[in-house]
Structures are given as C-alpha cells and as structure tokens.
Amino acid sequence: MLDIERLEGGNRVILVHMDIFDDAHRENLSEFKELVLSSGADIVAITTTSRQRADPKYFIGSGKAREIAELVKKHKADLVLFNHALSASQERNLERLIECRVLDRTGLILDIFAQRARSFEGKLQVELAQLKHLSTRLVRGWTHLERQKGGIGLRGPGETQLETDRRLLNIRIKQINHRLDKVRKQREQGRQSRQKAEISTVSLVGYTNAGKSSLFNVLSEDSVYVQDQLFATLDPTLRRVDLSKDVSFILADTVGFIRHLPHDLVNAFHSTLQETAQAQLLLHVIDSADENRDSNIREVEKVLAQIGASEIPCIQIMNKVDLTGVPPRIDFDDAGNVKRIWLSVETAEGINLLKQTLIDMFREQMVEGDLTLAPADARVRAKLFAIGAIRNEYIDDQGRFLLHISISRRDLHQFESREHIALESMLV
C-alpha cells in the first residue's frame, strides 16, 4: 500500500465535481475552478458525475473512483480535489483506492486562506481553523499512527502515536485560543474608543471577488491589495473616511464570503467579523454581472445571520454596471429609504450617487441653527471655530456674535459636556 501521508505536495491536480439533486449540497463548478486557480494549482483534468445522493463509502461511487484512479496514473497527478465536503472516512477510502492524496473543498479553502493571511491575527485564525479541521481527520488508518510508545519496564501498551498527535493538537489549539483572546481584547478596546468618540462604522460585505476592496480604495483613497481572484483580501482593513467637512466615518473592508464557507472559518474569524456585526451600516457589494448573483446574495445573508449582523441597516451596491449596460441609479424601498445603488467601481459611474447617499445619511445626525453670543462669550465662539462648527458669522451693532453653526450631535454633546453650556437650547 502506498504511504500517501508521506507524499510531497504537487501542483498537478484533478478536479472532481458531482451534481447532487439536493440544493443544500449543490456546488458551482466554475467557482470551484476559480478557487483552484487562486491556490496556484495546475488543473490537468476535470471529471464530473451525478448522483441522487452521495455514496457513504466513496462519495462518488466505487466505479467513478476507479476511473479517477486511472486519470491519476494517466496525468501523473499529485492531488485530487473534490468540489464537496468529504467525511474523514470518505477521504481515507478514496486515498486508499486512488493511491493519491485527496483534498475536499473545505481543505482547499483553508489552504487558500493560509496563503493569504498576512497579519498576526489572520495567521492565528487560519491555523486555528486548519487544526480544528485536521482534528476530525486524525483517524486516517496509516500505520505510523497505530504504533505505540511503550517499552521494557513500562506498564501497559503505552501512548499510541494517534493519542500523542491528538494531545499535541489540543495543546496547540489552546495556545492559539489564548493568543487570540489577547488580540480580541485589543480589538475590542479599539472598538470601544471609537464608540466613545461616536464615530460611525461602515462595513463592506459581499461575496468574494465582487469588488469590495476596489470600492474601499475609491472611498478611502487608499491602495489596499486588489486582485481578480477569490479571497484576495483576507485581513480586515480599517480607514477613516472624510466625505465632506461634516461627515466622517470608519470604513471596514472584510474577508469575502463564499458558498458553504467552512463553519470553522466563520468561527475562527468571528472576532474579525465583529467589525461587521457592530457596524452602523453595511454596504453589501454585489457583482451584478454574475449569473449566480441571486444565490450569492443569499449566501452572504446566511453568513450575516450567523454573526448576528442581519438586523443592521444595509444598502446593496450593484457593482459592474459597465458589464451589464444598466445605467447608474438609486432604488428606494416602500418607506423611501435607499435600498440599492447601481454603479461601477471600475469606471467610477455612479460613485457620486453612493457618496452623496452616505453624506445624506450621516448628515441626518447634524444639528444646525443660529446662535447669538454676547461679547463676553468670545471664548465659546473661539472654541466653536476650533472644532469647525461655525459656517457664517456676523457682528451686530452691540458687538454680539451672530453665528450660524452646523455640528454633529456627537460633537455638540461633547462640547456641551466639556464647556458646561446648554448650547442646543440656545439655537434658533
């Protein structure tokens, strides 16, 4: 028997896709090919089949599994990738029959995440998800896992290699969780400081490769990494955006979602996704030219529900209208609220519609009015000037300051508390 556990990794892969007559487990082949190409693999063959339900032993059935074994020999493949989640026993049985390493969809996504993680937190989260996934696949049936540590003078059979692997795995998982707890506390302190300053957060969410990072760059005038591939952005990015003199917010770019995103990944990235769960507004970026647009929307909404963000106000950003020919526009719901904005980040068509919408939404929190101050209150006037609240000023014959001010309710409350003055009651 070939010792598959000891094989070196390679780039020559065979893709296996099975149409299952069950919407809950159906996968998209073109998306799977994008995932594989994103991982840097070389696709040498694609084989497809269909079944009413998965085979409990080989998932695809023994006949198809033997066909794949022949393909592996013919193309000298290094790896067989399944566009489905396989159980540990199915993966083990396939590897024994095919005599080649087998990786399922979840394992592939974890591998891509491991390649893309850049920050300390991101690397820890990916490693945690990988270890949890690996823990379900420790019972692989390879002979080295059945050897026992024991010897002359030791009672009993000793500790099996499998038990050692499991123990070391659990120790590492505890270590990572401990480190992540520290990172989460630091991130929570940052969130609390923003909440104290009452700076609103706008979070970009959406299916992977929909254009979130490109939109982030346009709004923040930044240059985060953008690439036409799945999961190009993994680590979250936060930037302060000043759309106008009186409208500012924190913009968060998060990891893209995907159909059947592995549960361990959602759990591992929960602290990162908290930026989304605690945002004041979600911008759901959608590839309007994608033929699977509607199903992608549903997948994103599922993940938002998982992380407790389904009740946050959300605007759908229908990106890539340059590919569909749809003119830029704003759609409203029955209550007159903005529901959907059609635009193109690539050509900048409709970007001004989005910016103006955000300005109008956050400007609703502004307080505007006329204020009259006596000459003795020049200190108050100077401080209002310092925070940029005064829009116009006149001085009457009696030397009084006639001010027209515009200030956010947040800044107004902070000013009143600091200066011990009920400024809002003085506005007319």
Side-chain angles (χ1 to χ4, degrees):
M1 174 61 67
L2 184 67
D3 191 356
I4 300 160
E5 200 74 76
R6 295 289 181 260
L7 285 179
E8 294 295 325
N11 287 333
R12 296 173 61 81
V13 302
I14 293 174
L15 309 192
V16 180
H17 173 80
M18 185 168 79
D19 282 322
I20 304 176
F21 303 109
D22 176 6
D23 288 337
H25 298 92
R26 188 171 294 162
E27 301 291 359
N28 184 293
L29 179 56
S30 60
E31 180 181 272
F32 185 54
K33 286 161 65 175
E34 281 189 66
L35 273 173
V36 175
L37 293 173
S38 294
S39 71
D42 179 20
I43 301 173
V44 296
I46 300 175
T47 181
T48 62
T49 185
S50 60
R51 288 179 66 94
Q52 193 73 31
R53 61 184 62 85
D55 177 69
K57 186 173 183 180
Y58 294 113
F59 188 80
I60 52 174
S62 58
K64 193 66 179 179
R66 291 189 183 93
E67 283 183 34
I68 294 171
E70 292 301 317
L71 284 174
V72 168
K73 292 176 183 176
K74 177 182 176 182
H75 295 283
K76 297 180 180 178
D78 304 299
L79 183 65
V80 177
L81 293 173
F82 275 72
N83 188 21
H84 311 275
L86 301 176
S87 68
S89 61
Q90 287 170 338
E91 197 173 288
R92 181 172 65 250
N93 293 334
L94 284 164
E95 287 181 337
R96 283 174 171 165
L97 179 62
I98 296 172
E99 296 189 345
C100 179
R101 188 171 172 232
V102 172
L103 194 66
D104 68 356
R105 179 184 172 89
T106 300
L108 174 63
I109 293 174
L110 287 171
D111 181 69
I112 294 172
F113 270 57
Q115 292 179 37
R116 304 284 158 74
R118 294 291 179 268
S119 70
F120 176 69
E121 181 185 12
K123 289 176 181 178
L124 284 178
Q125 288 170 329
V126 172
E127 185 182 353
L128 179 61
Q130 286 180 315
L131 290 176
K132 286 184 176 179
H133 182 66
L134 178 62
S135 67
T136 65
R137 277 148 169 74
L138 272 181
V139 187
R140 302 185 63 87
W142 313 128
T143 54
H144 79 283
L145 292 179
E146 298 303 326
R147 295 180 192 142
Q148 294 182 336
K149 290 181 178 177
I152 299 173
L154 296 178
R155 293 184 179 181
E159 184 180 44
T160 65
Q161 181 64 47
L162 178 60
E163 289 168 342
T164 303
D165 290 346
R166 186 176 288 121
R167 178 170 54 80
L168 294 174
L169 201 65
N170 288 333
I171 290 172
R172 181 58 181 161
I173 288 174
K174 287 179 181 177
Q175 290 174 341
I176 293 175
N177 278 323
H178 180 67
R179 290 186 182 181
L180 280 174
D181 282 340
K182 291 184 178 179
V183 176
R184 286 175 187 133
K185 287 176 182 176
Q186 292 172 351
R187 189 177 288 277
E188 186 60 32
Q189 286 174 350
R191 269 195 293 267
Q192 288 176 355
S193 63
R194 291 199 300 272
Q195 288 170 355
K196 285 179 181 177
E198 295 189 26
I199 301 176
S200 299
T201 300
V202 177
S203 181
L204 298 175
V205 299
Y207 211 76
T208 186
N209 214 25
K212 296 184 306 302
S213 295
S214 297
L215 181 58
F216 181 91
N217 286 341
V218 169
L219 291 177
S220 65
E221 299 180 354
D222 205 342
S223 56
V224 301
Y225 180 68
V226 175
Q227 187 67 33
D228 184 19
Q229 61 184 19
L230 302 186
F231 301 121
T233 304
L234 180 56
D235 296 310
T237 309
L238 303 177
R239 294 289 185 274
R240 182 185 175 102
V241 175
D242 299 307
L243 282 185
S244 66
K245 191 174 182 180
D246 53 1
V247 174
S248 301
F249 54 82
I250 299 297
L251 185 65
D253 185 21
T254 57
V255 61
F257 303 148
I258 195 169
R259 187 175 176 83
H260 297 155
L261 190 66
H263 185 69
D264 284 338
L265 271 180
V266 176
N267 286 342
F269 280 82
H270 199 269
S271 62
T272 302
L273 294 173
Q274 281 299 102
E275 297 294 349
T276 295
Q278 297 187 8
Q280 282 67 52
L281 176 68
L282 303 181
L283 297 181
H284 180 178
V285 184
I286 299 164
D287 181 353
S288 63
D290 192 331
E291 60 182 13
N292 298 309
R293 182 183 76 189
D294 293 339
S295 63
N296 292 351
I297 291 173
R298 288 193 294 271
E299 290 301 321
V300 172
E301 290 174 346
K302 284 181 186 177
V303 178
L304 291 178
Q306 276 184 272
I307 63 173
S310 55
E311 299 300 318
I312 298 173
C314 180
I315 298 176
Q316 292 184 343
I317 307 300
M318 308 301 286
N319 189 23
K320 306 185 183 182
V321 297
D322 54 309
L323 302 180
T324 62
V326 176
R329 70 172 192 267
I330 297 177
D331 295 340
F332 297 89
D333 61 19
D334 294 337
N337 300 314
V338 176
K339 179 181 180 182
R340 194 177 292 115
I341 300 176
W342 299 77
L343 54 77
S344 169
V345 177
E346 181 70 22
T347 64
E349 297 174 85
I351 291 294
N352 285 337
L353 295 177
L354 172 59
K355 288 183 176 180
Q356 190 58 52
T357 297
L358 293 173
I359 289 172
D360 292 342
M361 289 185 71
F362 288 103
R363 191 169 275 163
E364 289 176 3
Q365 302 171 17
M366 302 297 291
V367 176
E368 228 174 309
D370 294 315
L371 176 67
T372 301
L373 295 177
D377 294 323
R379 183 180 60 84
V380 175
R381 167 189 167 275
K383 293 193 173 182
L384 287 172
F385 257 118
I387 63 173
I390 298 177
R391 297 293 178 262
N392 290 301
E393 177 189 34
Y394 301 96
I395 301 177
D396 65 10
D397 297 337
Q398 300 175 30
R400 293 180 302 179
F401 302 105
L402 308 180
L403 310 175
H404 180 75
I405 70 170
S406 178
I407 185 173
S408 71
R409 191 167 295 278
R410 174 198 70 219
D411 290 341
L412 175 63
H413 291 165
Q414 288 180 345
F415 187 87
E416 289 180 326
S417 175
R418 190 168 58 246
E419 301 301 325
H420 306 290
I421 181 173
L423 199 64
E424 188 169 4
S425 63
M426 299 166 60
L427 295 177
V428 292

